[in-house]
Amino acid sequence: MPIRRRDRAAATGSDDVPSTRRRDALLAADLQDVSPLLRAAPALAAIGLVTLADLLSGSSTYLAPLMVVVPSVAALTLRPRELLMTCLLGLLVMFALNRYYDRVTAPSDSRFLFGATISYIVLSAFSAFVAELRMRRAAAFAAVSSVAEAAQRALLSQPDPVVGPLRLSVRYVSAADAARIGGDLYSVLDTPHGTRVLVGDVRGKGLGAVQTAAVVLGAFREAAYDEERLPDVAARIEASMHRHVADGEFTTALFAEFHASGPVDLVHLGHVPPIRVHADGRVEELEAADPWLPLGLGDLATDGAPCSTAVPFGPQEVLVLCTDGVIEAKGRRSGAFYPLAERVGPLVKDGWRSLTDLDTAVARLYADLLAHTGGGLGDDALLLLITRPAPSAR
């Protein structure tokens, strides 16, 4: 049965962005996707509260001039024209309270009312200027943020759901920081030497981390086709980092090489070990017998070199690769790290059955991660699920 290529936006899990990320994105865009009435709600609430306070305090207490708080509140969420209209409403309410409830008639009260009105008008004009300035800065921030994230998305090109003998499902979420970019990276390539996978995590965040990720991925996409041995691929990337990345920067990495059948070869360079999930839900953490230093720190070793380890991998098993943003995600209440090895078995054990089941498995695992953290992530998180069905099932 032919396998259709899925929509890439769906494969990245864009529909499952946490609510906190959605909220932060709207704030970064200056609430452009929120209705005017909702944006005006804080200022309207201020008008209502001042009115209620004046009414409850009695006509002998003169609280209507407190309406001067309305322009300042409106400047936080409204556009300049919306702000002026809301401030005009506040001014009319203040006049109505003065005339029909507080009954300001004494000359001294009239002078006070005149001063309060002038102050209100001046503050409204200044608040409109502040709102315009806020909108321009928010637009500039949104532009920079979206360009940075688009650059990272282009760098981490989404692999097809089937690459060589493998079925894949990926869930990648950037951290909810200002730039929304980080250093998690992955790539899956079908080469003459087998289907090769790289998952890595660059030290740090921001544009520097993306630059390092670009160096690592670019070197991998060349070396994976040229080098026959997987450790030699890692050595090529190491050399490239020494040429193009500042001293002291490093990238943890895990390399995997798959063939049509047989074991999977793994090279551990300081990265989170993968997890093999059997069809019955049993879990094995594939720790390296002889792990090596992260990419960029290889020159610290006096002798030796990274080596590969062959691990059995059958057609009814799921290999789970991730970055430390997953295993170091803290619980909202307990503060404990996410127990991936304890949770992953029942969540992904049926992923080997089909591409749909594999997508469902990664969605369940990601949803469980968000439930653990309370809906948001403090670091980049990458989940890559891999299966290799029997040749007759492909």
Side-chain angles (χ1 to χ4, degrees), residues 3-327:
I3 297 174
R4 296 182 180 179
R5 184 170 180 174
R6 299 167 297 174
D7 181 75
R8 291 190 175 188
T12 59
S14 58
D15 292 337
D16 296 317
V17 177
S19 59
T20 53
R21 287 291 306 276
R22 294 182 187 275
R23 180 198 64 197
D24 292 344
L26 292 177
L27 290 174
D30 200 37
L31 301 175
Q32 296 302 305
D33 293 339
V34 180
S35 67
L37 183 60
L38 189 58
R39 289 199 301 271
L44 295 176
I47 294 174
L49 289 174
V50 172
T51 302
L52 182 62
D54 192 45
L55 294 175
L56 293 178
S57 63
S59 58
S60 61
T61 304
Y62 189 36
L63 297 182
L66 290 178
M67 206 66 72
V68 293
V69 304
V70 172
S72 300
V73 174
L76 299 175
T77 57
L78 294 177
R79 300 171 184 175
R81 289 185 180 180
E82 298 168 346
L83 181 145
L84 292 176
M85 293 176 61
T86 303
C87 291
L88 177 60
L89 174 63
L91 184 63
L92 295 176
V93 172
M94 184 174 70
F95 283 155
L97 289 173
N98 290 330
R99 180 170 183 178
Y100 298 107
Y101 185 73
D102 295 319
R103 299 189 182 280
V104 178
T105 57
S108 59
D109 291 339
S110 299
R111 288 195 299 269
F112 179 77
L113 176 60
F114 177 78
T117 302
I118 296 299
S119 300
Y120 186 94
I121 294 173
V122 171
L123 185 57
S124 296
F126 180 74
S127 296
F129 170 75
V130 171
E132 177 67 22
L133 183 63
R134 185 203 76 232
M135 288 184 60
R136 292 186 180 183
R137 291 187 175 181
F141 171 83
V144 172
S145 179
S146 60
V147 167
E149 189 164 8
Q152 189 177 34
R153 293 293 181 183
L155 182 65
L156 300 178
S157 56
Q158 176 74 20
D160 291 335
V162 176
V163 179
L166 306 181
R167 291 174 179 169
L168 311 169
S169 188
V170 182
R171 186 59 50 95
Y172 172 75
V173 180
S174 301
D177 55 10
R180 291 189 289 171
I181 55 176
D184 285 10
L185 58 92
Y186 64 97
S187 183
V188 183
L189 301 174
D190 191 22
T191 75
H193 312 292
T195 303
R196 288 174 165 174
V197 178
L198 165 64
V199 173
D201 189 354
V202 178
R203 173 184 174 272
K205 296 185 183 299
L207 293 177
V210 174
Q211 181 180 7
T212 301
V215 171
V216 172
L217 287 171
F220 174 73
R221 289 163 182 164
E222 290 296 322
Y225 287 93
D226 296 340
E227 301 296 338
E228 184 174 351
R229 297 175 60 252
L230 201 56
D232 293 336
V233 175
R236 282 271 298 272
I237 300 174
E238 176 82 23
S240 184
M241 285 193 65
H242 284 300
R243 285 193 294 266
H244 302 294
V245 177
D247 292 341
E249 298 298 324
F250 63 87
T251 302
T252 65
L254 175 72
F255 296 88
E257 180 179 291
F258 300 82
H259 299 277
S261 61
V264 53
D265 292 327
L266 301 174
V267 175
H268 295 254
L269 300 180
H271 196 69
V272 180
I275 294 177
R276 182 174 60 191
V277 180
H278 297 266
D280 59 2
R282 288 185 298 112
V283 169
E284 293 182 55
E285 290 191 78
L286 304 180
E287 297 279 359
D290 186 19
W292 195 249
L293 295 170
L295 294 169
L297 301 180
D299 56 351
L300 299 179
T302 57
D303 57 4
C307 61
S308 61
T309 302
V311 177
F313 187 55
Q316 296 186 1
E317 297 174 340
V318 180
L319 194 65
V320 180
L321 285 68
C322 69
T323 55
D324 60 8
V326 174
I327 62 171

